[in-house]
Amino acid sequence: MAAEIMQSSPMLVAGGAGFLGSHLCERLIGQGRPVLCVDNFVTGELHNIARLMEDSRFRLQRHDVSDPFEVAALGGIFNLACPASPVHYQADPIRTTMTSVRGTYNLLEIARSAGVRILQASTSEVYGDPAIHPQSEAYWGHVNPTGLRACYDEGKRCAESLCFDYQRKHDVEVRVARIFNTYGPGMQIGDGRVVSNFIVQALRNQPLTIYGNGDQTRSFCYVDDLVEALLAFMDAPRGLRSPMNLGNPEEFTVLELAELVIELTGSHSRMIFLPLPHDDPTQRCPNIELARQQLDWNPRVRLREGLTRTILYFERMLEHQRSRVRKGIKVAPVQGSGTAGKVAAETAGLGPGVLEISHVRR
Ligand code: NAD
Ligand code: UDP
């Protein structure tokens, strides 16, 4: 039987050097809880956790979770290890599937032998291009199992299935969080996702790259709200229903997002329209009734406010990048191919013409 969370034992955060993971590590350390961050830095960045490295309660283990590993006493496990931006997860799709499937398997084995709870970062992508709107947890989804997004969508679906089998077979206490589009400070300039692309492009007065006609919708959750939900989900007493949607149900078209970013940055950017990526979901909005009832949680940061904070962060990041370029330090390349990969590369500061970029290990 899984133990209750031991506050003095470290929480293992797989993917803790990434965007969400680093915010989560900061919050845990802020609560006085020790953290063991496990990351292979495929999309994570040392600078995300630089401040934490100075804290004696924070430990970093560089490891690929798809390879088995052992750890000493633990309080619980958050599994966030997996690239989340389409550009990055499609750059090495086989590795993405292995990260979700083998990685989750290895972490479930650790949870089983340590007798601790595990929170699995799943995704709205398990609903694919949804035929039901908004999406509630009861919906089984509409996923193309052979397309370019399948490595992520099906990898995460298989990871969910493993989680529930470990719960049924081995009494491991699993909490599956289906996270919807989350943004905020800490994203990389070359992340490739829509919020970071638009803000960086707007701050540089470059055209905002709209894929398709911009009618597709997403519902954007600010990172602090999401991390609060992850912590509440992990810490809540036994007997919760899972999987659980976590996100902000305020829905926007991509075009509306672009207009808002241009307004908030005061940019002179125009918009250009590029081909829609394969299987790009046409609409996405979470039904979060379950999270409201079970966690008494509600996202608080509206898009306008969250974007304003994120714009300030990217202004600093771009200034930092400019000063590195002035000193002759090379900008790290971005993974990926196709239109989205090319846009991510250009946004990262590699300039036009970089179509195929090698996989990055930092
Ligand atoms: P991210 O790419 O910034 O972070 C992922 C982290 O996992 C990185 O630090 C990366 O280096 C690490 N990682 C990847 N593969 C690994 C491996 N095999 N072994 C060890 N570490 C590995 O992405 P994010 O936005 O922070 O997302 C974190 C998690 O949340 C992911 O699992 C993602 O699927 C899930 N999620 C995020 C969102 C979102 O909008 N941010 C939405 C849905 C789901
Ligand atoms: N998108 C866009 N321009 C960009 C990046 C993304 O129009 O520069 C669109 C993308 O086609 C999708 C939406 O924005 O419809 C969200 O994309 P993102 O990659 O952020 O995440 P997804 O929800 O698709 O995983």
Side-chain angles (χ1 to χ4, degrees), residues 189-220:
I189 291 173
D191 179 279
R193 282 177 275 187
V194 68
V195 173
S196 50
N197 274 5
F198 284 0
I199 293 178
V200 171
Q201 291 160 349
L203 289 174
R204 290 184 175 143
N205 289 312
Q206 291 170 345
L208 268 59
T209 51
I210 314 285
Y211 302 161
N213 62 12
D215 276 355
Q216 69 271 39
T217 69
R218 294 294 186 272
S219 307
F220 300 101

Side-chain angles (χ1 to χ4, degrees), residues 14-21 38-45 63-66 79-85 95 99 121-124 152 156 178-183 191 193:
F19 163 52
L20 292 182
V38 176
D39 205 297
N40 69 349
F41 290 90
V42 67
T43 51
E45 290 281 348
H63 182 78
D64 186 325
V65 293
S66 33
N79 180 19
L80 277 71
C82 186
S85 163
R95 190 176 190 194
T99 291
S122 190
T123 168
S124 52
Y152 185 73
K156 289 284 186 178
R178 290 183 176 161
I179 303 169
F180 283 64
N181 297 64
T182 302
Y183 70 98
D191 179 279
R193 282 177 275 187

